[in-house]
Amino acid sequence: MLKKIGILTSGGDCAGLNAVVRAATLRATKHYNWEILGIRDGTLGLMKKPVDAIKLSASNFEGNLMRMGGTFLGSNNKGNPFHTVIEDGKKIEVSDIIINGLKSLNLDALIGIGGDGSLKILQKLTKKGKINFIGIPKTIDNDVEHSELSIGYDTAVDVATNALDMLQPTAASHRRVMILEVMGRDAGHIALNSGIAGGADIILIPEIPYKIKSISNHIEKLRSKGRNHALIVVAESVKKENGSKAMVKFVDGQIRLGGIGAYLRDKIYKITDAETRVTVLGHVQRGAQPTHRDRLIASAFGVHAIDLIAQNKFNRVVIWKDRGVHDISLDDVAGYSRKVEKNDPLINVARGLDIYIGEIK
Ligand code: F6P
């Protein structure tokens, strides 16, 4: 039976989004002969009248789209769709506008590619609108519950590892301490993985408390063994010693994570007298060309999402577990966030490499 599927990317972009839209499109159109619509700019496209969507086909992907970062559909990570707005003099919930937009497309199912925040919003919207939904995890933060990997994460770790590779020679040339501040929101996956892969001496993640004194002791220890430089990776939501998060206020009034690298630089410079510099890696972690691993996961997720719809299985999230693709109830994923666990084997690996990674009480 012919089906009509909608697909959108929601939240912060990352590498591999084009690859997952491609996989879903190829599976839907070539295998099932279904129609698939790409909704532009996440839920923003659904608020347009008519809805901003394009019919997708294999020909959209004949060029190099699958190899490119970003999302050709566009995305949105701002605004709460459950806010009230005034339209034609009437109080109206944005969620109703979005749901009406979805309904106007007469879809059999919607595929939403998003992180923990987006999946929660899409769950609420599709529940309210009684729309069949399948979620696909994407986020460089890798914090989607139950999925060992989210699309975009592997590429972000690769970018951060490359940054450490490039910081090491300049650190050594100038006998400096180099701090690399990486993204990850409240999870330390990027910092932990890139720190080990990139040969960091100190890794700071939000899940494990640290002491400035211990950082300076570690640097002194390296010096006493003849090392003239040190590499530190810090996740953006690591707290200051007083327990507060380093935040930046933007001109539009938004408050976002940022500044822990600079905070540590000043502390370390003062205590160790080592010339210390900080690099804030920022959005280059999101826009790079997807690694082969991100393309593989994206392909597996896209195909599996369409196959779930073919089996009339809805309100599921596809996940990556034990080297394969599976699916799980949306209720078990939406609203949760997967942090680095205290018993993560990589913490032991870091300690085994004599990396300072904070102090687990
Ligand atoms: O959730 C993905 C992410 O890249 C976080 O790691 C980061 O804190 C945030 O988004 C940045 O958001 P924005 O693109 O709005 O600056």
Side-chain angles (χ1 to χ4, degrees), residues 55-85:
K55 194 170 164 180
L56 299 176
S57 71
S59 65
N60 291 93
F61 302 96
E62 270 159 15
N64 65 350
L65 208 46
M66 189 257 290
R67 304 165 212 284
M68 287 168 63
T71 161
F72 78 106
L73 288 177
S75 194
N76 171 43
N77 69 347
K78 275 190 216 76
N80 177 352
F82 292 89
H83 274 172
T84 302
V85 291

Side-chain angles (χ1 to χ4, degrees), residues 12 77 139-141 183-185 236 250 256-257 283 286:
N77 69 347
T139 166
I140 65 164
D141 307 339
M183 284 185 167
R185 203 149 272 167
E236 62 182 352
F250 286 66
R256 302 203 154 244
L257 290 167
H283 292 80
R286 298 210 318 221

Side-chain angles (χ1 to χ4, degrees), residues 79 153 328 337:
Y153 165 68
I328 190 166
S337 173

Side-chain angles (χ1 to χ4, degrees), residues 189 192-193 338-349:
H189 300 288
L192 176 59
N193 283 259
R338 198 179 67 89
K339 307 265 179 358
V340 174
E341 287 180 22
K342 296 269 187 283
N343 60 355
D344 190 310
L346 287 181
I347 293 175
N348 273 339
V349 173

Side-chain angles (χ1 to χ4, degrees), residues 1-3 5 24-35 302-311:
M1 210 181 80
L2 178 75
K3 283 192 196 289
I5 311 300
T25 302
L26 296 188
R27 188 65 171 168
T29 57
K30 287 184 176 267
H31 186 80
Y32 294 106
N33 219 3
W34 294 345
E35 194 179 323
V303 169
H304 195 76
I306 295 292
D307 287 348
L308 282 174
I309 297 170
Q311 296 159 47

